Amino acid sequence: MRIFTAVLATETNTFSPICVDRRAFEASLYAPPGTHPETPTLCSAPITVGRQVAAEKGWELIEGTAAWADPAGLVNRRTYEDLRDEILGQLRATLPVDAVVLGLHGAMVADGYEDTEGDFLTQVRQIVGPDILVCAELDPHSHLTKKRLSAANFFVYFKEFPHTDFVDRAEDLWRIAVDTLEGRAKPIMSVFDCRMIDVFPTSREPMRSFVDKIIEIERNDADILSISVIHGFMAGDVPEMGTKLLVVTDNKPDKGSALARDLGLELFSKRGTFIMPQIDEKQAVAEALAAWSGAARSAPVVIADVWDNPGGGTAGDATVILEELLAQGARDTAIGTIWDPMAVQICMAAGEGAEIPLRFGAKSAPGTGNPVDGIVKVVRLVANAEMRFGESFAPFGDAAHIELNGIDIILNSTRAQSFDPSLFSVMGIDPTRKKILVIKSTNHFYASFSKIASEILYCSAGTPYPNNPARTPYRRAPKDIWPMIADPHAAK
């Protein structure tokens, strides 16, 4: 067997002012053939798992380019077309192949291309023809379109949020692909449109039990090859935005459709109950300080700035919580991170140990607070800093650890959400010795930070992200789904 594999992925917040060009991919992951590392990134596990499968089977795996950019706004048109055509050219040069196994995200939007994955998959299908297996692993925070369904044989999506299972799902992808290529399976996709958009963390109920249920169905029913919840991405203003339920059966389309409908309606019945309760910045800081007042605590309180999350395409430069910490006189606190490449350059020029006047943060958009001014101490400088994320590493660029009025702040030059406490330790901060940690992430932080936190407070601070679909000024997204209307299924 000859199998081609490649990756082209990013998540597009169409409301974000941060545009994505080729430099953004090169800052996160741009790996031409033969240069992809041994460890996978979030969307490139099909390559690393594919190496293991090919070695075991004695098959030939032909690796194309792997490109991933951290979430932001629209992708530059030429950047998308150049990366797409680079991979398509590699595929053409590889023919004939028995299969194409891809790593995608599913929420990329480029200038001129509302459905980039649909465009990419359609061109892959045109190259290989109708009889060659085409499949992909994707992120559930994405859009499942009719164009994609018509171009591929099957999809597998991460089940967990936080996405701790991207390697496990790549293994599922390859298991189904191998069974298909060896004649033991004929995957058929069935989809139910839940007609809703919501946030589905699997670190809490009721989504935890729902995911456990679909895993159990997969385990016990030989007809069911895979079940995925496509959460949807509420910051993507595209025509097919919304939550979908995908069932992949072994040539049992009627059974798959019935199961997808049953599970999709069950999910819909719990709408509005999934997301974590949130408080504003004043309450979050007050509660974090009160938690340490007179208490014998030995672990930090974590405040999650859930909507200034670079993983959702925001800049990650909001200062709303920092301003409140300063106003309430917080000490023994660390913030990771505030994105400000210009401030990082100034700190790099000043050098470690320098005390300098610095203005930083809140440059990207309204609703992110105000730039902070102060005399700061440059504590530590790290070039090309990285933190852990599961089995991989996430870069956050040249970074500066500064101290302002008893608060340790990490400034970074490459946007990245706060995945892991190593974010702090690589910058010379022991996160376990702080009273308060402020991190920027909606839920990906949970798997690692929950291990060191005495308490986690979910904070909705400012308006850097369109987090209320009922009020978001969509132009292209459907208006006839929940919460835009109360019960779209009854209305049909």
Side-chain angles (χ1 to χ4, degrees), residues 180-260:
T180 303
L181 290 169
E182 294 184 337
R184 292 187 296 275
K186 183 181 179 181
I188 301 289
M189 292 190 283
S190 300
V191 179
F192 179 76
D193 186 349
C194 300
R195 297 176 62 78
M196 65 188 289
I197 185 66
D198 209 340
V199 179
F200 304 94
T202 60
S203 51
R204 66 189 302 271
E205 295 295 345
M207 197 61 183
R208 178 68 268 149
S209 294
F210 189 86
V211 169
D212 290 341
K213 175 179 179 176
I214 65 176
I215 291 173
E216 190 68 17
I217 294 172
E218 288 177 343
R219 181 181 297 119
N220 294 328
D221 191 332
D223 292 336
I224 308 301
L225 302 179
S226 176
I227 304 173
S228 298
V229 179
I230 295 85
H231 298 193
F233 187 53
M234 64 175 62
D237 188 6
V238 294
E240 294 179 78
M241 184 271 285
T243 303
K244 311 286 192 341
L245 207 299
L246 171 67
V247 175
V248 182
T249 61
D250 186 2
N251 200 24
K252 298 290 191 301
D254 292 341
K255 182 174 182 176
S257 295
L259 179 58

Side-chain angles (χ1 to χ4, degrees), residues 2-4 60 62-63 88-97:
R2 288 169 48 82
I3 302 176
F4 179 81
E60 184 180 1
I62 303 97
E63 296 183 17
L88 295 176
Q90 294 161 352
L91 174 59
R92 289 189 187 94
T94 300
L95 296 177
V97 296

Side-chain angles (χ1 to χ4, degrees), residues 38-366:
E38 291 299 316
T39 56
T41 59
L42 191 63
C43 291
S44 69
I47 289 180
T48 56
V49 172
R51 289 170 178 169
Q52 300 169 9
V53 172
E56 292 168 2
K57 290 286 183 180
W59 294 352
E60 184 180 1
L61 185 72
I62 303 97
E63 296 183 17
T65 293
W68 154 262
D70 280 288
L74 280 180
V75 178
N76 172 280
R77 182 172 189 148
R78 181 171 178 179
T79 295
Y80 165 63
E81 291 176 343
D82 285 352
L83 290 171
R84 175 200 65 189
D85 293 347
E86 179 178 333
I87 294 172
L88 295 176
Q90 294 161 352
L91 174 59
R92 289 189 187 94
T94 300
L95 296 177
V97 296
D98 297 285
V100 177
V101 180
L102 299 169
L104 305 172
H105 183 282
M108 184 191 296
V109 181
D111 179 24
Y113 296 89
E114 282 187 320
D115 184 6
T116 53
E117 286 89 351
D119 171 70
F120 180 53
L121 286 164
T122 297
Q123 296 207 38
V124 168
R125 176 59 72 193
Q126 290 171 349
I127 290 169
V128 300
D131 300 324
I132 298 301
L133 176 65
V134 176
C135 60
E137 180 187 28
L138 300 100
D139 189 302
H141 294 117
S142 59
H143 319 293
L144 181 55
T145 68
K146 296 180 180 66
K147 191 171 186 178
R148 301 174 195 188
L149 289 166
S150 66
N153 295 87
F154 72 93
F155 297 128
V156 172
Y157 292 74
F158 314 150
K159 286 182 169 62
E160 301 292 344
F161 176 37
H163 302 328
T164 54
D165 64 329
F166 58 93
V167 173
D168 295 333
R169 300 291 77 81
E171 291 172 351
D172 288 347
L173 181 79
W174 274 98
R175 170 181 51 79
I176 299 169
V178 168
D179 286 347
T180 303
L181 290 169
E182 294 184 337
R184 292 187 296 275
K186 183 181 179 181
I188 301 289
M189 292 190 283
S190 300
V191 179
F192 179 76
D193 186 349
C194 300
R195 297 176 62 78
M196 65 188 289
I197 185 66
D198 209 340
V199 179
F200 304 94
T202 60
S203 51
R204 66 189 302 271
E205 295 295 345
M207 197 61 183
R208 178 68 268 149
S209 294
F210 189 86
V211 169
D212 290 341
K213 175 179 179 176
I214 65 176
I215 291 173
E216 190 68 17
I217 294 172
E218 288 177 343
R219 181 181 297 119
N220 294 328
D221 191 332
D223 292 336
I224 308 301
L225 302 179
S226 176
I227 304 173
S228 298
V229 179
I230 295 85
H231 298 193
F233 187 53
M234 64 175 62
D237 188 6
V238 294
E240 294 179 78
M241 184 271 285
T243 303
K244 311 286 192 341
L245 207 299
L246 171 67
V247 175
V248 182
T249 61
D250 186 2
N251 200 24
K252 298 290 191 301
D254 292 341
K255 182 174 182 176
S257 295
L259 179 58
R261 178 179 175 81
D262 289 346
L263 290 172
L265 289 174
E266 179 182 343
L267 201 69
F268 181 80
S269 72
K270 297 178 171 65
R271 63 197 180 280
T273 68
F274 297 99
I275 196 169
M276 305 74 63
Q278 298 161 50
I279 55 180
D280 67 17
E281 66 277 5
K282 293 184 183 297
Q283 185 178 348
V285 172
E287 287 189 14
L289 292 172
W292 280 89
S293 179
R297 289 188 174 238
S298 59
V301 176
V302 170
I303 300 176
D305 192 352
V306 294
W307 296 120
D308 189 33
N309 171 22
T314 69
D317 70 345
T319 59
V320 177
I321 296 178
L322 171 57
E323 290 181 285
E324 191 60 34
L325 288 163
L326 292 168
Q328 295 194 34
R331 297 290 187 273
D332 295 325
T333 295
I335 297 178
T337 57
I338 293 176
W339 178 66
D340 195 327
M342 184 182 298
V344 171
Q345 287 183 17
I346 292 170
C347 292
M348 289 281 185
E352 291 183 354
E355 291 192 7
I356 59 172
L358 189 67
R359 167 171 283 197
F360 61 92
K363 295 183 175 71
S364 66

